[in-house]
Amino acid sequence: MALSVKELLENKGIKPRDEHLEILEQRWKGMKELRSDLKGANIDDADISLRNIPGGDHVE
């Protein structure tokens, strides 16, 4: 059974206001839809990483 956004947040001790809960539920549904597109994806193609280069951006 999938938990709702409200239940997930309350389990972590976060009690969102009702007006914020509506926004969070919409965003949660959007993220779930985006994740469903990855079910058949090659994980090597979906991997993203960030690299911090001290001193600014450099091109080598």
Side-chain angles (χ1 to χ4, degrees), residues 2-51:
L3 296 174
S4 70
V5 174
K6 182 178 180 179
E7 292 169 327
L8 287 170
L9 292 174
E10 286 179 349
N11 288 342
K12 295 181 182 219
I14 302 170
K15 298 185 185 341
R17 294 187 218 159
D18 289 335
E19 59 269 13
H20 292 163
L21 193 56
E22 292 176 20
I23 295 168
L24 291 170
E25 285 177 351
Q26 290 174 355
R27 290 184 181 177
W28 184 258
K29 287 177 186 174
M31 286 189 290
K32 287 176 91 176
E33 288 177 19
L34 290 172
R35 276 193 216 148
S36 68
D37 290 343
L38 294 175
K39 287 187 180 175
N42 181 353
I43 194 69
D44 292 334
D45 293 340
D47 189 22
I48 298 173
S49 66
L50 297 175
R51 189 172 128 191

